[in-house]
Amino acid sequence: MLGALRTTTSRAVVDSWLDKVALVQVDGNAVTLQVGDAQLADCVEHNYLEPIASALTTMLGAPAHVALREVPPTDMGPQTVALFPAERAPVRQGLPLELLPSDADTQEWQDLAPRFNFDNFVVGKANELAAAAAQAVSQAPGQVYNPLFLHGGVGLGKTHLLHAIGQAARQRNPGLRVRYVAAETFIDDTMSAWRSKDGHARSDVRALYRHNVDMLLVDDVQFLQGRTPMQEEFFHLFNALHQSGKQIVLSCDRYPSELQQFHDRLRSRFDWGLVAELTPPDRDLRLAILQRKARDLALPLPYDVALYIADHLRNNIRELEGALTKLTAHARIGQRGIDLALARSVLGPLVELPSRNLTAEVIQRVVAQQFGLKITDLKGQKRHRSIVEPRMMAMYLTRKHTSMSYPEIGRVFGGRDHTTVIHACQKIDWQIKTDASLQSAVQSIETALGK
Ligand code: ADP
Ligand code: MG
């Protein structure tokens, strides 16, 4: 999970805060974390519970409930330490330090993750254009598509491709200065430079990103949405690099024109080069990926089990990995081989067969009826509490009783982002366990739905 958070959250955050959080228990989807002091508990609770929950959700393949326990350091057993061996990414490599501005010495670039390479990226219809473009860019940086803009939903391989491009390019040309940065890290770095009293800090950050860089890989640029001064800063960085022929590769969870609250001039630069989409994998690709991962893990995965997973987990590739991880863990704990019975018992509850005739439309109608709302209220933007809660319930029930993916649910609920849907599902799932009146409201809707 820390590994996953490192790719989406700033390194500094992971190293200074999240590294000190220990995992004490995983019981189904209920995950208990433990921290050693109140300040840290507060910080994690307020700022990072959501990213943690969403990282866990993708790993477990179902909404995760995260509980945070605060325990004085002396009570944290030695196994806590063992759970997180100091697995820090190496300091940036191969840079002549004297060429860097002074402050940049303390900055560290996140290193590329060797486990994300072209060799283990399985190609199918869903990603072949993106993969081919990525290969091309890695072979001729700055010469074919600049920028290369990769977009697609969560868990479809954007981060994987970014790292793969960087590594392949570096392999071809070891002198090439390849830099990977999560957009959030760029934002953090720039923010702290702006806040710093030191007048040089601002120009130092600019220097860090503009000099000593031949290829810049920026992950998740959607985080720049709504941040006008930050977009300004990024716009100048983009221009500086582009004008000097440096390769820029961007990833995003949506198409450039779908970016909200975004400078047109920056948005339009995003499709100067090539825009390539990663779509959810079809069944063949899901199967191929499962088999490839099993092979890499030296995991005997019977074909019927692979089929079972591929048929039931259809949203993204991270889910498939999560299923394999879960199965392996259960097989190991139970000291048994992986077979269909095990897969059914372990994964069944997560992938419950959707009922035949229940659709999002029916659910929306019943929920609206129960709360005296209009269906358009559920799809609309009103933020009033009396609407927000039923809307979240309806999304939750749609996820539970249909086979629709989060992005699909988002679309039928007025074009909402899939992360909004995930959040709604997690919230209701949690409240059902803690709020009796909400629980009975959900139950009565389910009865009305014939469940
Ligand atoms: P994104 O950045 O789009 O959310 P990631 O790149 O983090 O998704 O991919 C999620 C997981 O799925 C990663 O562990 C990645 O290695 C794996 N993955 C994604 N696409 C493929 C693929 N085509 N072949 C093999 N593994 C993949
Ligand atoms: Mg990613």
Side-chain angles (χ1 to χ4, degrees), residues 7 15 20 64 76 79 94 99 104 138 182 184 239 241 254 318:
T7 63
D15 289 349
K20 302 193 181 70
M76 295 177 85
Q79 87 275 19
L99 290 182
S138 74
E184 280 177 303
N239 289 340
L241 293 174
R254 66 201 76 191
R318 202 169 289 154

Side-chain angles (χ1 to χ4, degrees), residues 116 120-122 127 155-160 293 317-318 321:
F116 294 149
N120 64 10
F121 189 83
V122 184
N127 57 24
L156 297 180
K158 302 183 295 294
T159 299
H160 190 133
K293 303 248 175 227
I317 294 156
R318 202 169 289 154
E321 287 183 344

Side-chain angles (χ1 to χ4, degrees), residues 42-104:
D42 243 33
C43 167
V44 171
E45 171 127 40
H46 286 104
N47 303 307
Y48 304 114
L49 222 48
E50 289 238 7
I52 289 176
S54 79
L56 284 169
T57 296
T58 43
M59 297 178 84
L60 295 171
H65 307 297
V66 182
L68 202 59
R69 223 202 274 161
E70 186 197 320
V71 172
T74 46
D75 292 338
M76 295 177 85
Q79 87 275 19
T80 326
V81 181
L83 278 171
F84 297 125
E87 180 225 295
R88 308 212 185 273
V91 182
R92 64 168 189 270
Q93 304 169 337
L95 274 179
L97 286 181
E98 62 276 12
L99 290 182
L100 283 170
S102 57
D103 239 8

Side-chain angles (χ1 to χ4, degrees), residues 4 7-8 58 115-118 120-124 127 131 151-163 180 219-220 251-252 278 281 285 288-289 292-293 296 316-321:
T7 63
T8 56
T58 43
R115 70 178 190 286
F116 294 149
N117 52 56
F118 280 129
N120 64 10
F121 189 83
V122 184
V123 178
N127 57 24
H151 72 102
V154 62
L156 297 180
K158 302 183 295 294
T159 299
H160 190 133
L161 279 181
L162 250 46
H163 284 265
Y180 168 92
D219 211 353
D220 291 317
S251 91
C252 187
L278 292 142
L285 182 56
I289 288 173
R292 171 63 199 251
K293 303 248 175 227
D296 290 349
N316 67 53
I317 294 156
R318 202 169 289 154
E319 273 183 4
L320 298 176
E321 287 183 344

Side-chain angles (χ1 to χ4, degrees), residues 105-127:
D105 286 4
T106 55
Q107 295 270 4
E108 286 180 12
W109 288 98
Q110 184 183 336
D111 212 53
L112 297 171
R115 70 178 190 286
F116 294 149
N117 52 56
F118 280 129
D119 190 49
N120 64 10
F121 189 83
V122 184
V123 178
K125 268 198 221 91
N127 57 24

